[in-house]
Amino acid sequence: GAVVSQHPSWVICKSGTSVKIECRSLDFQATTMFWYRQFPKQSLMLMATSNEGSKATYEQGVEKDKFLINHASLTLSTLTVTSAHPEDSSFYICSATDRTDTGELFFGEGSRLTVL
Amino acid sequence: QQPVQSPQAVILREGEDAVINCSSSKALYSVHWYRQKHGEAPVFLMILLKGGEQKGHEKISASFNEKKQQSSLYLTASQLSYSGTYFCGTEMRGTSYGKLTFGQGTILTVHP
């Protein structure tokens, strides 16, 4: 089956620094990927839709200058949390679909960010 | 708009059954069901694409009532491994392919 991989699986950084998270589709091409954020004991909240070769589409309330998304190739999307603060600490998960008839969406393993 | 799941939490003993419901205020293209264990990414259970569709494997099945814009997940003869938080993810008509909006989750706890 299709596989989506995220890296790193966890990261700890100091307040004010930037962190990059990668999301790769390993055995299929994904023109669209999605980035979610999940705070403890809460649901997954969609942050943005990452479009290959064009600008990402952000959900209402998500700061596009803070959460930079780049989808430079058909297999890689990156999320950069700029000038991270403790309130950005969360579980970030990406997803992608290989657009087969099953309609299944494949999730990465998730990246846990802790900002000190 | 976020779908509404009910109940918020369920406590079962091994072997008991449970039903988790997911309702949307908007027309749905598909409903996806996931289970998430603490600290892990969600694990795909199944997707329902057509109104009236029912699916299942082993003792977990689901139905999708397109007209009522709701889906139900059925867990029968529950096992300890079923414990976790269950999320429905809805894909609405007219949105990006694969764009899901998740419900708030239902915490399922199975005791021996």
Side-chain angles (χ1 to χ4, degrees):
Chain A
V3 178
V4 174
S5 178
Q6 266 183 258
H7 177 81
S9 54
W10 59 269
V11 57
I12 301 172
C13 70
K14 290 183 179 179
S15 188
T17 60
S18 294
V19 173
K20 181 186 283 189
I21 300 170
E22 295 185 346
C23 178
R24 293 182 186 272
S25 55
L26 298 185
D27 51 0
F28 66 99
Q29 294 183 333
T31 55
T32 304
M33 291 184 175
F34 302 93
W35 285 97
Y36 291 85
R37 178 170 55 182
Q38 185 178 35
F39 292 109
K41 297 186 179 181
Q42 293 188 22
S43 184
L44 292 91
M45 298 304 294
L46 180 66
M47 298 176 67
T49 302
S50 175
N51 305 299
E52 188 269 334
S54 65
K55 290 183 180 180
T57 306
Y58 290 82
E59 295 298 303
Q60 195 171 11
V62 178
E63 300 174 57
K64 57 183 69 176
D65 294 331
K66 181 168 184 61
F67 299 99
L68 301 180
I69 292 172
N70 184 281
H71 195 152
S73 78
L74 286 169
T75 59
L76 173 65
S77 174
T78 60
L79 168 69
T80 301
V81 183
T82 63
S83 187
H85 290 284
E87 57 265 30
D88 299 322
S89 298
S90 187
F91 193 48
Y92 293 87
I93 312 175
C94 68
S95 69
T97 175
D98 60 357
R99 290 182 174 262
T100 62
D101 290 340
T102 65
E104 183 176 346
L105 203 65
F106 300 97
F107 278 84
E109 308 95 327
S111 300
R112 187 163 302 282
L113 170 65
T114 302
V115 185
L116 302 176
Chain B
Q1 207 157 10
Q2 187 179 34
V4 176
Q5 284 183 236
S6 63
Q8 291 187 335
V10 184
I11 299 175
L12 301 174
R13 292 209 174 272
E14 256 186 308
E16 292 182 336
D17 303 340
V19 180
I20 300 172
N21 300 302
C22 174
S23 295
S24 172
S25 60
K26 304 222 173 186
L28 300 177
Y29 174 74
S30 67
V31 179
H32 304 227
W33 284 97
Y34 291 84
R35 176 172 59 215
Q36 186 178 33
K37 302 271 187 180
H38 181 69
E40 300 177 7
V43 172
F44 174 78
L45 294 176
M46 64 190 76
I47 177 176
L48 299 116
L49 292 169
K50 300 174 188 173
E53 184 173 29
Q54 294 193 4
K55 275 190 177 176
H57 53 88
E58 295 185 353
K59 297 169 185 174
I60 301 176
S61 61
S63 63
F64 177 25
N65 187 323
E66 191 175 12
K67 191 174 180 181
K68 292 185 178 179
Q69 296 169 182
Q70 55 186 218
S71 176
S72 296
L73 184 72
Y74 307 95
L75 303 141
T76 58
S78 58
Q79 305 168 13
L80 294 176
S81 60
Y82 286 6
S83 292
T85 302
Y86 289 77
F87 292 99
C88 67
T90 55
E91 190 177 2
M92 282 172 270
R93 295 188 180 280
T95 61
S96 297
Y97 189 85
K99 179 179 176 180
L100 297 184
T101 303
F102 286 90
Q104 79 277 23
T106 296
I107 301 171
L108 180 74
T109 306
V110 182
H111 290 297

